[in-house]
């Protein structure tokens, strides 16, 4: 995956349709999440589409998240969120202002409210996970 900064630079020069395509491509690039991990326990509540997030912890203590969604744009949104926290330690994740990192993408104005309503819940789940491991 590209870095968040590289993605932001590309995103700002795209029109609305190309921004959708970029999010869809970002979602397609996510590491596959095995079907058995898509359970009620890994389901993010409050999203209009189904979103699953499953954390793993490496030997060095960093957190790696597997994620998937049944909607292409939503899958791209969770992929974008994961770019801000993937493979970082719990303390670093908790210190990251995820909302500020996503602000330049202006998702609330670029996408429908249905598409963005679950973003706070996705972020909250990642923070709760980091808190458990911190």
């Amino acid at each position: 995956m590209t870095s968040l900064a590289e993605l932001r630079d590309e995103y700002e020069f795209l029109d609305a349709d190309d921004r959708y395509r970029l999010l869809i491509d970002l979602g397609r690039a996510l590491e596959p999440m095995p079907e058995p991990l898509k359970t009620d326990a890994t389901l993010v509540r409050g999203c209009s589409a189904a979103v699953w997030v499953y954390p793993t912890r490496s030997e060095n203590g960093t957190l790696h998240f597997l994620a998937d969604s049944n909607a292409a744009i939503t899958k791209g949104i969770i992929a974008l969120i994961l770019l801000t926290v993937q493979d970082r330690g719990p303390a670093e994740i908790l210190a990251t202002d995820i909302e500020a990192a996503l602000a330049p993408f202006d998702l609330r104005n670029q996408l429908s409210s249905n598409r963005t309503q679950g973003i706070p819940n996705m972020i909250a789940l990642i923070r709760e996970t980091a808190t458990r491991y911190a």
Side-chain angles (χ1 to χ4, degrees), residues 6-86:
E6 293 168 334
L7 192 63
R8 187 175 45 241
D9 290 344
E10 182 180 349
Y11 190 84
E12 71 182 40
F13 291 106
L14 299 175
D15 64 26
D17 287 343
D18 287 335
R19 287 178 174 183
Y20 274 109
R21 279 191 276 286
L22 181 72
L23 282 174
I24 290 169
D25 289 344
L26 195 60
R28 285 184 182 139
L30 271 178
E31 179 181 351
M33 183 178 190
E35 286 299 318
L37 296 179
K38 297 176 188 176
T39 67
D40 193 55
T42 61
L43 187 67
V44 179
R45 306 284 179 233
C47 296
S48 60
V51 179
W52 300 272
V53 177
Y54 182 83
T56 61
R57 188 172 187 188
S58 69
E59 289 180 17
N60 66 1
T62 61
L63 294 176
H64 183 83
F65 296 89
L66 298 174
D68 200 359
S69 176
N70 64 349
I73 295 287
T74 305
K75 189 171 179 175
I77 292 169
I78 190 64
L80 186 62
I81 292 168
L82 290 183
L83 276 176
T84 68
V85 298
Q86 194 69 287

